[in-house]
Amino acid sequence: MSSSSRDVLAIYPGSFDPVTLGHEDIARRTLRLADRLLVAVAETSTQTRNPLFSVAERLALLREVFSGDERVECVSFSGLLMEFARQRRAHCIIRGLRAVSDFEYEFQMAQMNRELWSEVETVFLTPDAPFSFLSASLVREVAILGGDVSSFVSPAVLRALAQKLGR
Ligand code: PNS
């Protein structure tokens, strides 16, 4: 992906319930490859069953976290990711790959997405080592059970978690 010859638009989709430092790391790495990044909260996620934050709350946190970078736009979308990518004329979908355990789920989604619309490529990026075990679901669980998640999320997310959990 050359960013000199064309305006490369990447979509980083996910549940972001809530956005973690691992997500932020993947987003920053994406901006080494793409000119613009759409961080897109899915209203329908394949895995998330009981969200802690509403889509509007997750979007507000993403906007706060990425407010310093004008190359990043945070949006939500409903329906199929590939339909959204087609409408926005995106060049690629970004997904973070932490460990082998992520691979099967990610591979299935990437292949299905290619069947749905083959004009966009899925690109997998690996996070910095300290975030290689981090997931939003673990952050939620640890926070709900009273553990300290301050090294895994931005201060804005930490405040939102404290407020949500009545602490
Ligand atoms: O962070 P997540 O929950 O692992 O992200 C999964 C997500 C949101 C990327 C996936 O569920 C998705 O693309 N949802 C939109 C609906 C859709 O297109 N489903 C078919 C996926 S093959």
Side-chain angles (χ1 to χ4, degrees):
M1 284 184 283
S2 159
S3 54
S4 56
S5 54
R6 61 184 185 144
D7 184 28
V8 176
L9 173 63
I11 295 182
Y12 181 22
S15 305
F16 303 109
D17 183 32
V19 57
T20 68
L21 294 183
H23 294 128
E24 291 182 43
D25 180 63
I26 293 292
R28 294 210 174 84
R29 287 173 195 284
T30 301
L31 288 165
R32 293 173 164 180
L33 309 170
D35 302 288
R36 289 180 296 129
L37 173 62
L38 265 177
V39 181
V41 184
E43 284 175 19
T44 314
S45 169
T46 315
Q47 285 198 326
T48 306
R49 299 275 174 264
N50 294 313
L52 181 62
F53 292 99
S54 69
V55 169
E57 288 169 332
R58 287 179 253 160
L59 193 52
L61 285 174
L62 282 166
R63 286 185 173 143
E64 196 164 345
V65 160
F66 291 111
S67 61
D69 196 329
E70 61 186 22
R71 295 169 299 172
V72 182
E73 187 188 344
C74 302
V75 294
S76 62
F77 71 99
S78 57
L80 285 174
L81 171 62
M82 283 301 104
E83 186 51 33
F84 174 69
R86 203 176 58 78
Q87 283 166 9
R88 300 299 293 248
R89 297 174 187 274
H91 298 97
C92 60
I93 301 297
I94 301 293
R95 292 287 291 172
L97 206 55
R98 291 163 300 191
V100 178
S101 49
D102 279 344
F103 181 76
E104 198 169 330
Y105 167 57
E106 294 299 335
F107 183 71
Q108 284 179 344
M109 277 204 302
Q111 296 302 96
M112 177 59 84
N113 282 335
R114 181 176 283 159
E115 289 298 316
L116 295 172
W117 194 49
S118 60
E119 294 300 303
V120 75
E121 294 297 336
T122 300
V123 177
F124 296 107
L125 296 180
T126 53
D128 203 8
F131 307 129
S132 57
F133 64 95
L134 190 55
S135 70
S137 55
L138 273 185
V139 165
R140 285 199 305 273
E141 184 170 322
V142 171
I144 288 168
L145 297 176
D148 177 12
V149 292
S150 58
S151 31
F152 310 130
V153 296
S154 281
V157 178
L158 204 58
R159 282 194 299 276
L161 279 167
Q163 199 176 14
K164 176 68 75 180
L165 300 171
R167 306 225 167 85

